[in-house]
Amino acid sequence: MKDWERFLEPYKQAVEELKVKLRGMRSQYEQNSDHSPIEFVTGRVKPIASILDKANQKGITLDKLETEMQDIAGLRMMCQFVDDIKPIVELLRRRNDFEIVEERDYISHKKASGYRSYHVVIKYPVQTIHGEKIILAEIQIRTLAMNFWATIEHSLNYKYKGQFPEDIRLRLQRAAEAAFRLDEEMSKIRGEIQEAQAFFSRKKEQQKEK
Ligand code: 0O2
């Protein structure tokens, strides 16, 4: 039997550390009063049941989890516009606290399900009392619209175990197209949106000063 608590400990630590670091990127943009390409950041350690399911589906034996399952530690960075994604990836590439080992661009090449997102797999060094432990973590970068679709599809997937009834499958496909068009429309009025957001954040600051 695997000692899960011990196995997952460095992953938990990595997720906590990376949440702070990636959220720090957002705060730095805010302090410089620039538009932040990062809207919010979340992170989670994959639940044991999901690790076992995925290992089973992909034929990964438990002794190979560390090297073959890339998303036991998972981070998500959400942004407002599709054009924010590339600059975020660029920032990740320039960091020297982890090494990027793989990038998967499901935005230029969406998945058959309709899923869109940019995945960056990193090797992250965790400092433990037994020394350094390097683990794999996956950072998913997506717009709010992509995230909305993926979150809904993920819950339905869980319910139907991947076997969607035809009408649901079609609706999900249409919803994916609608999310894609929403991103496109928002990109077209990006300038206007950002001007309005800058105006409201200045107003909030002024109110705080009073
Ligand atoms: P969870 O619960 O989010 O952890 P594969 O299963 O072969 O497609 P692989 O090789 O692990 O995936 O790599 P991939 O596709 O780059 O990353 C898998 C993760 O991306 C998934 O993790 C999801 O988080 C997300 N993802 C990929 N495809 C889809 C999709 O069609 N719909 C949704 N909603 N999310 C997707 P898990 O382990 O599936 O789930």
Side-chain angles (χ1 to χ4, degrees), residues 132-148:
E132 184 173 271
K133 169 129 188 94
I134 296 181
I135 59 125
L136 289 173
E138 185 177 79
I139 307 175
Q140 301 179 343
I141 305 135
R142 44 169 83 154
T143 63
L144 297 171
M146 293 173 194
N147 190 49
F148 178 48

Side-chain angles (χ1 to χ4, degrees), residues 180-197:
F180 177 78
R181 281 199 305 278
L182 178 61
D183 273 335
E184 270 190 337
E185 290 303 322
M186 291 303 182
S187 290
K188 284 182 193 147
I189 50 166
R190 179 189 174 123
E192 297 254 350
I193 298 171
Q194 283 177 353
E195 231 171 74
Q197 288 173 341

Side-chain angles (χ1 to χ4, degrees), residues 44 46-47 50 54 57-58 70-71 76 104 106 111 113-115 119 138 140 142 149-151 153-154 157:
R44 63 98 185 94
K46 209 178 190 62
S50 309
K54 191 164 181 172
Q57 272 168 29
K58 294 189 160 251
Q70 298 175 320
D71 65 343
R76 273 187 196 142
R104 285 194 285 274
Y106 298 127
K111 283 198 160 189
S113 60
Y115 177 77
H119 293 190
E138 185 177 79
Q140 301 179 343
R142 44 169 83 154
W149 182 90
T151 306
E153 197 259 7
H154 191 270
N157 213 332

Side-chain angles (χ1 to χ4, degrees), residues 55-103:
N56 201 17
Q57 272 168 29
K58 294 189 160 251
I60 302 173
T61 52
L62 294 191
D63 57 320
K64 295 271 167 59
L65 281 179
E66 230 172 88
T67 48
E68 292 186 18
M69 198 169 289
Q70 298 175 320
D71 65 343
I72 295 177
L75 281 301
R76 273 187 196 142
M77 302 176 82
M78 264 58 70
C79 48
Q80 291 184 343
F81 304 102
V82 179
D83 286 347
D84 290 330
I85 294 175
K86 278 286 151 72
I88 297 177
V89 175
E90 223 13 86
L91 283 175
L92 296 179
R93 287 183 188 140
R94 273 192 256 133
R95 292 188 72 108
N96 51 25
D97 50 350
F98 50 72
E99 184 199 340
I100 296 182
V101 289
E102 207 175 321
E103 292 184 20

